[in-house]
Amino acid sequence: SGGFGAAHIALGISAEHFKHWLALWDWNCRRQLPPAEARELSALAHKLGARLSAVVEGRSALTLQPANRRSGE
């Protein structure tokens, strides 16, 4: 519970961790997948990484609102 980035915030990680994770993700995608699929999964991972980086750096409203309020409920 707690929304998109709560688990990552609780770990005390920083945006720098996401850079390393994305580099490993990209490397493994290139090794294991056909080029088109590797590019697609890499792009999705980079979008997710950018969102999580914003959350852990406190630049996102995602850290300020309960999960049910973000979806407009």
Side-chain angles (χ1 to χ4, degrees):
S1 180
F4 182 68
H8 297 86
I9 292 170
L11 293 172
I13 61 176
S14 69
E16 188 67 26
H17 291 97
F18 294 111
K19 291 179 189 176
H20 294 290
W21 178 83
L22 286 168
L24 288 170
W25 179 266
D26 290 342
W27 180 76
N28 277 294
C29 283
R30 288 190 306 271
R31 282 185 62 220
Q32 303 294 329
L33 299 170
E37 285 83 357
R39 285 190 300 274
E40 183 177 350
L41 285 177
S42 178
L44 290 171
H46 282 264
K47 286 180 185 179
L48 178 64
R51 288 183 65 195
L52 285 171
S53 290
V55 168
V56 300
E57 290 179 353
R59 295 189 320 239
S60 172
L62 294 173
T63 62
L64 304 176
Q65 298 178 3
N68 61 347
R69 291 189 59 205
R70 284 195 311 273
S71 63
E73 296 176 315

